[in-house]
Amino acid sequence: MGASSLREEEYELKDGDRMKPITGQTQTNPSESSTHTAGARIVLMGPPGAGKGSISERLADKFGMVHLSSGDILRAERSSGSELGETLKKYMDAGELVPDEIVIKIIIKSISSLDSSKGLLLDGFPRTVIQAKQLDDALAKAGLPIQAVLLLDAPEEVLLKRITGRRICPKCGRVYHIETMPPAKDNICDTCGTKLIHRDDDTEQVVRERINLYHKETEPVIEYYRKSGVKIIEVNADATIDEVVERAIEGIRQANLLEKEGRTSL
Ligand code: AMP
């Protein structure tokens, strides 16, 4: 089915389970507690440069889901100047994975503090089978298992070109590309006028290292979820962001994670 026949606006993510906050958060509007807002829990996976950040922001925006990027959370900690931040910097600048025991603690704590009743989109976590198992344990306790993996992929040369040309505004987070999406004024953010940065882990050598790590450590996570019966939605990400978003929405629809607006999930 062509994406054009899908009237996206009419749909929102659904969840067959009873939705409740992951931790003991209270509902902001008690009157809604018996008519739970639709929600779904999806892990976004893919090698560096597949577009996980941009695509998850667009999907989260569209469906009102909470978007949690482990990279963003770790970068924020890193730039806080804390001791932990210094430790993170070492791994991140080298393109290595932050050790499981550190990252699991930070990310599961962040997930626990969120109200994910409208859905949860995890971007960049889990990246190892150990992380996936720990996440499963935490979510199982709350009765909120992962329902699908959205798997983005593109040829390695495309990934490399995308990442090495990427420039980011350190203030507002807007992402540019020197060839495909340059700012109006050289190296200056169109939105807030801040000088753009080239992430230390976006150089070719580090990106190759990150892609290798993805094959070695993260691809087994896809197999782990497949074996657990989680739906794997594969999306060819060698296209424009708009096209990839359309493909992702269509994949989510085919995985039966959408329902018409207005219906409750019960
Ligand atoms: P990202 O922005 O997702 O590409 O992440 C940037 C960097 O943060 C990675 O190269 C890792 O060093 C670190 N990182 C992010 N998420 C994880 C994770 N789930 N496990 C280990 N390291 C991570």
Side-chain angles (χ1 to χ4, degrees):
M1 180 188 116
S4 54
S5 57
L6 170 64
R7 295 200 36 222
E8 297 163 12
E9 294 71 21
E10 290 179 0
Y11 293 86
E12 59 181 13
L13 289 158
K14 78 173 177 187
D15 174 42
D17 310 326
R18 269 172 60 84
M19 293 301 303
K20 59 185 179 198
I22 289 177
T23 55
Q25 292 173 357
T26 47
Q27 297 273 347
T28 45
N29 181 353
S31 66
E32 288 175 2
S33 60
S34 58
T35 55
H36 309 284
T37 320
R41 293 163 306 278
I42 299 176
V43 170
L44 199 73
M45 292 183 66
K52 295 188 297 295
S54 319
I55 304 302
S56 48
E57 262 168 35
R58 295 270 293 268
L59 292 177
D61 209 37
K62 174 154 204 65
F63 296 119
M65 302 169 83
V66 172
H67 166 216
L68 187 141
S69 153
S70 55
D72 284 353
I73 291 172
L74 296 175
R75 272 185 290 280
E77 183 64 44
R78 195 180 88 161
S79 45
S80 72
S82 67
E83 208 177 304
L84 174 60
E86 281 307 305
T87 309
L88 296 178
K89 186 172 174 357
K90 253 189 2 219
Y91 295 105
M92 294 172 78
D93 286 354
E96 291 169 15
L97 290 183
V98 174
D100 285 334
E101 61 273 18
I102 301 180
V103 88
I104 287 169
K105 219 184 276 173
I106 300 177
I107 305 303
I108 292 191
K109 191 168 155 218
S110 301
I111 295 173
S112 305
S113 67
L114 298 169
D115 176 0
S116 59
S117 54
K118 283 199 167 174
L120 177 65
L121 200 51
L122 291 178
D123 156 15
F125 184 87
R127 256 177 163 102
T128 65
V129 172
I130 293 177
Q131 292 178 16
K133 286 184 176 164
Q134 297 266 332
L135 175 67
D136 270 0
D137 285 350
L139 293 179
K141 278 186 198 135
L144 300 170
I146 293 297
Q147 294 161 312
V149 170
L150 189 64
L151 179 58
L152 304 178
D153 208 0
E156 187 156 329
E157 288 317 304
V158 172
L159 302 173
L160 267 173
K161 209 165 167 198
R162 272 191 196 160
I163 301 205
T164 52
R166 183 160 72 177
R167 298 293 180 273
I168 295 173
C169 174
K171 191 165 174 213
C172 71
R174 188 162 164 187
V175 179
Y176 298 85
H177 190 280
I178 46 174
E179 283 172 20
T180 55
M181 214 192 294
K185 239 202 235 165
D186 223 17
N187 228 20
I188 299 292
C189 178
D190 293 346
T191 308
C192 67
T194 306
K195 191 162 180 259
L196 303 179
I197 57 160
H198 187 201
R199 261 169 55 175
D200 288 336
D201 58 347
D202 277 355
T203 58
E204 179 165 345
Q205 192 196 353
V206 178
V207 175
R208 285 198 189 275
E209 167 70 19
R210 289 165 63 201
I211 292 175
N212 288 340
L213 263 177
Y214 173 78
H215 293 311
K216 189 164 156 249
E217 301 282 352
T218 308
E219 277 179 348
V221 178
I222 301 164
E223 227 17 68
Y224 167 82
Y225 279 123
R226 209 187 290 276
K227 280 191 187 142
S228 316
V230 170
K231 292 170 183 163
I232 312 287
I233 303 166
E234 293 186 40
V235 174
N236 175 356
D238 185 8
T240 64
I241 291 183
D242 285 348
E243 280 169 295
V244 179
V245 168
E246 267 192 28
R247 290 174 190 176
I249 291 170
E250 175 58 12
I252 291 171
R253 189 193 67 78
Q254 285 185 8
N256 200 25
L257 290 169
L258 294 176
E259 73 174 9
K260 289 203 172 175
E261 228 172 311
R263 272 173 53 193
T264 69
S265 55
L266 292 177

